[in-house]
Amino acid sequence: MPLFVPKDRKSLFRQFLAGMYDAVVITDPSGHILETNPRAVEFFGYTEDEFLDRPISLLIPGLNPEVVQRIRRGLDDDRHMVLDANGLNKSGEKFACEVTVSVIDLIDPGDLVFTVRNVERRRRVRDMLRAKESAFEISQAALFVCDPDGKITNANTSFCELFGLADENDAKGHVFADFFTDDPLPDNFRKALDGESTTVVIVAEGEEDEGSSEVEITLAPNKPARKIMGVVGSVSKVA
């Protein structure tokens, strides 16, 4: 039976670094690079040899020696520190990143570990969601979102104005059936929960001096992922 021979610590350490999802850059206390992992090569575009003894500011502009020393002193009281920063790759392209800094005694006491997570995609998604929220709010169409039971969970200003509600919180105290009773809207709500989108034009009665008008009502499944979470809808006047 073969004997199990444990690997040396450095080999295990390198395997650990190679398996990490984030880029890892280890520096001496002054911020000069000692070790990196394959993810750092992927993020920044330098070979392992090109990293060696270069300052961390090559990769994270702004982390000059003075800043690194301030971080180092700050780590005397904390186990780690998290920074929002911009990474800079070899081709000169910047990307948003989250940098976690901690201390490790690798070669000398006080060596630093910079763990870099690329959050560019997260930031783009966040910005896209903010843009959608802004578009939702300023739309001239009355827009709303319901849960599967018909309870309104979101409504824009136009929706509140159309139905005489004080604000979105007032709208959240209502259900779909409070505003949409005309056929085929109740049935269309159920269709939306089954994954179907529908659009109908109905005649809406206004105040006595306003008469009636035609409005177009669209209902669709609220499907942020694969699962239908409820119904989204819009109400707009027909020109």
Side-chain angles (χ1 to χ4, degrees):
M1 180 177 180
L3 295 174
F4 171 73
V5 180
K7 294 180 180 291
D8 63 86
R9 289 188 177 184
K10 188 167 186 179
S11 176
L12 290 172
F13 178 70
R14 285 182 172 274
Q15 287 187 47
F16 172 74
L17 287 184
M20 290 192 67
Y21 173 80
D22 297 321
V24 177
V25 181
I26 300 174
T27 75
D28 66 16
S30 299
H32 287 84
I33 298 171
L34 302 171
E35 188 90 33
T36 58
N37 70 343
R39 195 68 162 170
V41 173
E42 179 184 336
F43 276 15
F44 296 102
Y46 295 94
T47 66
E48 289 187 13
D49 289 340
E50 289 175 321
F51 278 120
L52 292 180
D53 206 32
R54 305 290 292 277
I56 187 65
S57 58
L58 174 74
L59 312 178
I60 312 294
L63 291 185
N64 56 47
E66 292 77 15
V67 173
V68 170
Q69 288 307 308
R70 287 203 298 272
I71 291 173
R72 180 66 189 84
R73 289 193 294 271
L75 291 172
D76 289 339
D77 298 322
D78 297 305
R79 291 186 177 181
H80 66 272
M81 185 178 297
V82 181
L83 311 170
D84 288 323
N86 285 311
L88 182 67
N89 63 27
K90 188 177 180 179
S91 63
E93 297 175 345
K94 290 184 177 181
F95 60 91
C97 61
E98 183 180 87
V99 182
T100 303
V101 191
S102 53
V103 179
I104 184 174
D105 292 335
L106 182 63
I107 297 176
D108 295 308
D111 288 342
L112 299 171
V113 179
F114 294 83
T115 305
V116 183
R117 174 162 295 182
N118 188 329
V119 296
E120 193 69 34
R121 181 177 178 276
R122 184 200 304 174
R123 183 174 291 184
R124 286 199 302 269
V125 170
R126 181 193 63 194
D127 292 343
M128 179 185 68
L129 291 175
R130 286 179 176 174
K132 286 184 176 181
E133 289 175 358
S134 297
F136 179 88
E137 185 55 38
I138 68 174
S139 174
Q140 294 300 304
L143 306 178
F144 61 96
V145 182
C146 297
D147 68 13
D149 296 324
K151 182 179 179 180
I152 294 175
T153 58
N154 295 93
N156 68 351
T157 299
S158 295
F159 182 92
C160 296
E161 292 176 348
L162 178 64
F163 292 102
L165 303 170
D167 52 30
E168 185 183 39
N169 287 329
D170 191 5
K172 289 179 179 179
H174 293 272
V175 294
F176 179 85
D178 291 341
F179 307 111
F180 304 100
T181 56
D182 295 337
D183 290 330
L185 296 177
D187 188 46
N188 285 355
F189 185 90
R190 290 187 289 272
K191 288 181 179 179
L193 288 177
D194 289 333
E196 182 180 346
S197 297
T198 60
T199 299
V200 297
V201 176
I202 65 172
V203 176
E205 298 295 333
E207 302 293 336
E208 292 185 3
D209 57 343
E210 294 180 356
S212 60
S213 61
E214 290 186 332
V215 294
E216 182 178 84
I217 302 175
T218 297
L219 300 177
N222 181 20
K223 195 175 180 181
R226 294 186 177 183
K227 183 178 179 181
I228 295 175
M229 305 299 294
V231 174
V232 295
S234 69
V235 183
S236 55
K237 289 185 177 181
V238 177

